[in-house]
Amino acid sequence: QTEAAAESFAKARSLAEALQAQLPADEALAGFLADLPQVDAPVLPLIPLPRDLTVNEGALTFTTDSRIVATDPVLTPLAGILSDEIFTVTGVRMLPSEGLARDGDVALQLDTSLKEEACRIDVEDQAVVRGGNYPAVASATVTLLQALKSNEQGLALPKLAIEDQPAYPYRAALIDLARQYHTPGGIE
């Protein structure tokens, strides 16, 4: 087994050396990218960056009474999922609920005035997440989770307005890492 491990290590080392031989091409790419115009970084590091993002002064700070409210029974499972995700990321449990949202809550709503996968997030006295359908609201909760911050009072969201919808009906990415080396910057 020791000989097999040594042989595997030698193969891995030769592969790493072969990949390093490709670095001059990556350096040329880096030089090309450096010549491109620079774009200001977004105010919030959201992936994917929404089509329209406005960050306002202040924040909505959640309390122990804050809930995640599904205003439509179809969204009840999503309220539970978001509650679990927030707990996993922050250690703070916001209880899922149904009915009407009050100040300090996160409200999940279906909005038929929005196209299918279009969504809107408005954070003022409460965080309202609207979508044209269930997947749109679910996608918007991912954005909401990314914007969530911890501060001395607990969890908070910056007061903001987001409008977004997918640019294409089908979205996917395939990055072949096995046969082609990609720098982290190139992937971004």
Side-chain angles (χ1 to χ4, degrees):
Q1 286 183 346
T2 307
E3 286 180 32
E7 187 177 319
S8 293
F9 182 74
K11 286 181 183 177
R13 176 174 283 184
S14 66
L15 178 60
E17 289 170 357
L19 289 175
Q20 286 179 340
Q22 294 178 4
L23 284 179
D26 288 338
E27 290 171 6
L29 178 61
F32 169 77
L33 292 175
D35 291 337
L36 292 175
Q38 298 299 310
V39 177
D40 291 336
V43 177
L44 291 172
L46 302 175
I47 299 173
L49 190 62
R51 288 178 181 241
D52 186 23
L53 167 64
T54 305
V55 179
N56 301 314
E57 290 292 321
L60 168 61
T61 301
F62 296 109
T63 67
T64 55
D65 295 329
S66 295
R67 307 167 299 156
I68 300 169
V69 180
T71 61
D72 186 302
V74 171
L75 298 173
T76 300
L78 184 57
I81 291 168
L82 182 58
S83 173
D84 291 343
E85 289 175 339
I86 291 172
F87 180 73
T88 299
V89 172
T90 67
V92 174
R93 175 69 70 185
M94 293 176 66
L95 296 177
S97 180
E98 289 184 11
L100 297 175
R102 58 182 184 236
D103 287 355
D105 285 346
V106 174
L108 306 179
Q109 299 177 355
L110 290 175
D111 185 343
T112 57
S113 71
L114 296 172
K115 288 187 194 177
E116 289 181 3
E117 289 188 70
C119 64
R120 182 168 175 81
I121 302 172
D122 293 297
V123 179
E124 287 297 328
D125 295 331
Q126 57 182 241
V128 180
V129 180
R130 294 182 185 92
N133 58 19
Y134 184 98
V137 179
S139 293
T141 64
V142 173
T143 302
L144 186 85
L145 190 62
Q146 292 179 65
L148 196 60
K149 302 295 178 207
S150 223
N151 63 25
E152 55 276 351
Q153 289 88 26
L155 294 179
L157 279 171
K159 291 190 176 184
L160 55 78
I162 294 175
E163 288 187 43
D164 201 13
Q165 67 181 20
Y168 304 101
Y170 182 80
R171 292 135 343 248
L174 173 64
I175 301 173
D176 185 357
L177 299 175
R179 292 179 287 268
Q180 178 64 44
Y181 174 75
H182 299 276
T183 63
I187 293 172
E188 290 176 355

